[in-house]
Amino acid sequence: MSWSTRDTHFDKDLVTTNGNKYMIGNGYMGYRGTLEEFGKEQLVAVTLAGLYDKAGDKWREPVNAPNGLYTSIACDGEDLTVLDSEVASHVQELDIRSAVHCRETVYNLPEGGLLTFSAERFASLDNQHLLVSRLSIHSTRDCRIVIETGIDGKVWDINGPHLFELQEQLEKDVLITSAITGELKIPVVVAEQAVFSFGEQQIDEGKALRRISVEVRAGETYEWYKYVAVYTGLDALNAGDTPTPIEAAVHAVRSAQAQGYAVLLNNHRQLWEDRWSHSDVIIEGDEEAQFALRYSIYQLLIIAPAESEKVSIPARGLSGQVYKGAVFWDTEMFMLPFFLHSDPGIARNLMMYRIHTLDGARRKAAEYGFLGAFYAWESQDTGDDACTLFNVNDVFTGRPMRTFFRDKQVHISADVVHGIWQYVQFTGDDSLLLDGGAEVVWECARFFYSYAYYNSVKERYEILDVTGPDEYHERVNNNAFTNALVKETLEIAMRTAELLKEKYPEAYRDLSAQFSAGPYLAEFEAMLDSFYVPQPDPESLIIEQFDRYHKLEEVTLAELKSRVINKHEYWGGGNGLATTTTILKQADIVLMLNLFKHSFTKAVKKANWEFYEPRTEHGSSLSPCIYALVAADIGSPDWGYPYFMRTATVDLTGVSKQYVGDLYIGGTHPAANGGAWMAAVLGFAGLYFDGETVHIHPSLPKQWQSVELPVVLRGGSFRLHISRDEVTVSAAASNREDLAFTIQDGQPELCHPGAQLRLRLEAASV
Ligand code: BGC
């Protein structure tokens, strides 16, 4: 079974796409899939999680560190690079099983003969500060090679520069590049140790670059290693003698060198093996889907904040500074389910990030004159909103357009609450509520209480003037998705209170005291009693996306596309193409039907899928997976399959929107990666855990014979095998409790620790 992806020739036009596709990372940093000799023009980036900087009045964005893996080769005075030299063959490959990137380029030497340059690298999972590489050259004729390798301090920035007072120095044999960020003056340090057993080395004073000259003999292989460490002032360095980032980085490369490449690679591999052992999903019968799904999981794993609860996952992962490195609702709604089922510790970190950024959300609510917590649409380190009021430029006039993502996508606060409750219900770990989760829940409920409008004629609370997931229709009233989520927030606020009161009465009393001035539970309850959520029309079963949606112009997507004047024009906003029509950017009602799948009949889901799908542009990579999920839910997996494949391959094919207006939005798509997992596991395999019982309702696409996966439920480890006629559940012997499973709504059966359940499926429904 395939665990790697490769390109077997070099194509200049794919440099940016491959930078995303071949990315490696370890949650602390992302390293784009660029080649050793590349520089900032080819978008090399070592993107650091959670370190942001603002240059002048430009957008705040994450900081890219200097590139410690920079290496170039010259033969007999001539530079060899895939960009300009004569290449006889070239392979770039990513092994997703161990997150190791390789390239091998064979150059036709100007005076005849071939020179092979190979490099392998990984971002250590064992020590998240480390990048490690093994490189080699081999020539078919004698020649003089000069290798330049060190730390490239000329970094790619979208809205930089971010690194100031850049200094290059040498400490014994370790190269060091250090700088401080402009806004917060945070030190950023890269140290590099290269180990050569050949040639003559020269390092110019004040330069983080080594020049190794060697008379290469035909037929011999010359191999060397690079150990690179990245530290910043944000790293909690070992207490005690408190080393500086420079000391920590130097120490890290020295001990890496002492351990050696093979040991480091082996440790890294073992940790990856362990990761896969609790996250790999095996699809039998569909190689293409198998690889695409694994690749999607890989993308999530390389950016998962396994060691920090102060960062979450940005919308473009760690693939650069696109989208300001900001965290959107994507995390809670599209990525969290994967982590909940495979690594609850990471799921907890993601939700702790929201707790740590609660003050930013409080500030935003206050700024708009509301109570409680209004989470940032684009969240960075403090939780203050990085989203601007003018997020898109009009391609026709070049003028900034007023967009209302920041002010009106109020559903973000409900998404955060949804995530917190999912975590608590799923894991049973209610300590998250005591660690700040309850405050987040209640503050968000207070925000909605202050945002809601009481319609005294209709005697109900409504939510007016919002933008739902479909961003092409801004400032609408009673967006069904938003209203449904606000209702859920209020319910969760009540349930949180009940849970704490019962289990932690003292903590409940103390926490509640903070909210005694209200609005609090009494008000939430009153609001819930007369809260309006748009319902299916009794005849058509369609739920109107928002008030008066049905009054908009009905056009086909094809017709709308034919009206496009500029391929980068923005379809939403004041005068966007879609604004006056029923065409939506992404799943909205259908997403709601998926989130609250047990509150709607199959007929309602089907009617709305069929109504909204032709009207959906899928202009966001978050959209198709939701159509796949609901298709599976209504028993039509083959309708869903193409949407699943589109989602799962987005970062392999690079087929996605690259521009909105004149803004570059390329990069990786973690929400789609999480969406692919959801479609496969929660959709086709039909897994649903309500906190007590695991329900399995398979709906496999025709190509799939079975799906097999590990899951962690309530702290217990299980392995599920779901085929067309049978479900097998194996519980780890180390599990501490029984867990109930029901298949196709049958009788629940308990699975004891160490036991196996085999449950037959009714053929017709798979
Ligand atoms: C989508 C949003 C999403 C954002 C970041 C936008 O294009 O419409 O729903 O949160 O991208 O992925």
Side-chain angles (χ1 to χ4, degrees), residues 151-154 166-170 176-178 205-209:
I151 307 169
D152 184 2
K154 295 184 278 316
L166 195 107
Q167 282 190 20
E168 303 190 357
Q169 66 193 80
L170 181 68
I176 302 163
T177 297
S178 59
E205 169 109 26
K207 283 245 164 82
L209 195 68

Side-chain angles (χ1 to χ4, degrees), residues 286-362:
D286 189 348
E287 275 286 313
E288 209 187 328
Q290 170 69 83
F291 184 73
L293 178 57
R294 263 197 189 133
Y295 181 82
S296 302
I297 296 173
Y298 166 82
Q299 281 289 349
L300 290 170
L301 293 176
I302 60 173
I303 52 178
E307 297 189 36
S308 173
E309 53 174 55
K310 294 284 179 60
V311 299
S312 182
I313 302 180
R316 290 292 178 264
L318 298 175
S319 65
Q321 295 156 320
V322 172
Y323 270 156
K324 311 176 188 114
V327 177
F328 293 64
W329 68 315
D330 304 30
T331 313
E332 281 74 16
M333 304 311 248
F334 294 81
M335 302 174 221
L336 185 69
F338 163 72
F339 293 109
L340 277 178
H341 288 79
S342 62
D343 196 335
I346 294 181
R348 194 176 205 283
N349 283 349
L350 295 172
M351 296 325 304
M352 284 304 296
Y353 163 79
R354 293 301 192 177
I355 293 172
H356 289 302
T357 49
L358 173 60
D359 278 344
R362 285 183 170 128

Side-chain angles (χ1 to χ4, degrees), residues 315-316 323 328-330 377 409 469 471 585-586 619-622 671:
R316 290 292 178 264
Y323 270 156
F328 293 64
W329 68 315
D330 304 30
W377 181 243
Q409 281 203 64
E471 294 180 339
K585 180 177 178 187
Q586 66 202 84
S620 158
S621 64
L622 279 54

Side-chain angles (χ1 to χ4, degrees), residues 123-381:
S124 170
L125 203 55
D126 193 22
N127 177 349
Q128 57 173 2
H129 298 279
L130 274 188
L131 291 164
V132 190
S133 180
R134 173 173 63 196
L135 307 98
S136 68
I137 45 173
H138 174 279
S139 171
T140 58
R141 71 164 169 82
D142 290 358
C143 58
R144 181 179 174 72
I145 295 287
V146 175
I147 301 164
E148 280 200 331
T149 189
I151 307 169
D152 184 2
K154 295 184 278 316
V155 299
W156 166 47
D157 279 325
I158 296 180
N159 283 303
H162 299 300
L163 298 178
F164 296 87
E165 297 174 29
L166 195 107
Q167 282 190 20
E168 303 190 357
Q169 66 193 80
L170 181 68
E171 191 169 313
K172 292 218 183 97
D173 42 1
V174 175
L175 300 178
I176 302 163
T177 297
S178 59
I180 55 162
T181 59
E183 184 195 4
L184 302 173
K185 314 282 177 236
I186 308 281
V188 175
V189 174
V190 179
E192 183 253 24
Q193 169 75 298
V195 181
F196 288 87
S197 54
F198 58 87
E200 258 174 51
Q201 191 169 153
Q202 189 196 327
I203 300 172
D204 295 340
E205 169 109 26
K207 283 245 164 82
L209 195 68
R210 311 164 189 273
R211 194 172 307 111
I212 291 87
S213 312
V214 54
E215 300 295 337
V216 162
R217 307 272 306 262
E220 276 181 28
T221 300
Y222 298 77
E223 193 173 74
W224 70 100
Y225 303 93
K226 274 171 74 83
Y227 305 98
V228 172
V230 182
Y231 273 83
T232 78
L234 293 187
D235 296 318
L237 302 171
N238 284 335
D241 48 355
T242 328
T244 63
I246 291 189
E247 285 162 351
V250 171
H251 176 76
V253 291
R254 291 224 166 102
S255 44
Q257 183 199 353
Q259 282 183 283
Y261 188 82
V263 171
L264 294 173
L265 179 60
N266 197 32
N267 293 348
H268 171 77
R269 282 217 158 108
Q270 273 177 14
L271 289 168
W272 267 94
E273 212 175 295
D274 184 48
R275 277 198 148 178
W276 282 114
S277 73
H278 54 84
S279 42
D280 189 24
V281 180
I282 299 167
I283 300 170
E284 209 192 329
D286 189 348
E287 275 286 313
E288 209 187 328
Q290 170 69 83
F291 184 73
L293 178 57
R294 263 197 189 133
Y295 181 82
S296 302
I297 296 173
Y298 166 82
Q299 281 289 349
L300 290 170
L301 293 176
I302 60 173
I303 52 178
E307 297 189 36
S308 173
E309 53 174 55
K310 294 284 179 60
V311 299
S312 182
I313 302 180
R316 290 292 178 264
L318 298 175
S319 65
Q321 295 156 320
V322 172
Y323 270 156
K324 311 176 188 114
V327 177
F328 293 64
W329 68 315
D330 304 30
T331 313
E332 281 74 16
M333 304 311 248
F334 294 81
M335 302 174 221
L336 185 69
F338 163 72
F339 293 109
L340 277 178
H341 288 79
S342 62
D343 196 335
I346 294 181
R348 194 176 205 283
N349 283 349
L350 295 172
M351 296 325 304
M352 284 304 296
Y353 163 79
R354 293 301 192 177
I355 293 172
H356 289 302
T357 49
L358 173 60
D359 278 344
R362 285 183 170 128
R363 283 191 289 273
K364 180 172 166 188
E367 177 194 331
Y368 283 99
F370 296 111
L371 301 174
F374 181 5
Y375 271 87
W377 181 243
E378 299 185 6
S379 185
Q380 299 176 330
D381 45 353

